[in-house]
Amino acid sequence: MSEIRYPYLPDDRIIRYVGADHPLMVLAKEFARQHSSDKSMPNTSVLVRDGRVIGIGANGSNYHDQHGCRRVELKCPSGQGYELCEGCHPKNHGEARAVRDAQSRGNETAGVDLYLWGHWWCCQDCWEAMIAAGIRQVYLLEGSEVLFNREHPDNVIGHQFD
């Protein structure tokens, strides 16, 4: 297996992988299908402590429906310029939403794991939020570097739920 080159990964962090049949990936995929308002790149993050879901969040906002996307207009590369568009702002990313969901329910986030379906890496803003929240480990779907990578010819973008 070749080494995955993520657009961003903090030096002291690694990403682990689980299969599509993992119960938390199944949950995240279904939650994304039902709740993500980003129809192009739907994703969901699930926070777990001791096998129990303590927070969950899907990405997106309805801002783009009325205002378009400033990042698209400016042709920003993936992972850059999120602060330029209200719809793309990191507060609307699944990772941040899952942290807020857990905290709003009175759950401590230090030492929890995050399972992310629908992306193949986490942006710098999300990593900073996850580190500040004390998230221990991040798990992605096996093969996500192909499936959810716009640059890869074998991606499933636009057909994630088929």
Side-chain angles (χ1 to χ4, degrees), residues 20 23 46-47 49 53-54 59-60 63 73 77 84-85 101 115 118-119:
V46 179
L47 293 180
R49 175 187 308 286
V53 175
I54 66 160
N59 68 326
Y63 181 87
E73 291 170 14
L84 300 173
C85 176
D101 181 57
Y115 290 78
H119 277 327

Side-chain angles (χ1 to χ4, degrees), residues 71 74-82 121 151:
R71 289 180 63 245
L74 295 172
K75 296 180 173 51
C76 292
S78 181
Q80 297 178 17
Y82 293 129
W121 63 286
E151 313 273 318

Side-chain angles (χ1 to χ4, degrees), residues 84-147:
L84 300 173
C85 176
E86 178 63 24
C88 297
H89 195 280
K91 70 183 177 188
N92 294 320
H93 293 190
E95 299 94 326
R97 286 197 168 164
V99 168
R100 284 195 310 272
D101 181 57
Q103 292 170 342
S104 74
R105 297 167 186 263
N107 291 312
E108 172 59 48
T109 56
V112 302
D113 293 329
L114 182 142
Y115 290 78
L116 172 61
W117 181 91
H119 277 327
W120 69 280
W121 63 286
C122 303
C123 72
Q124 183 173 352
D125 289 317
C126 286
W127 272 112
E128 289 172 0
M130 291 185 297
I131 290 167
I135 291 176
R136 181 178 68 133
Q137 188 59 59
V138 172
Y139 292 87
L140 299 180
L141 177 65
E142 287 175 346
S144 61
E145 72 281 4
V146 171
L147 298 171

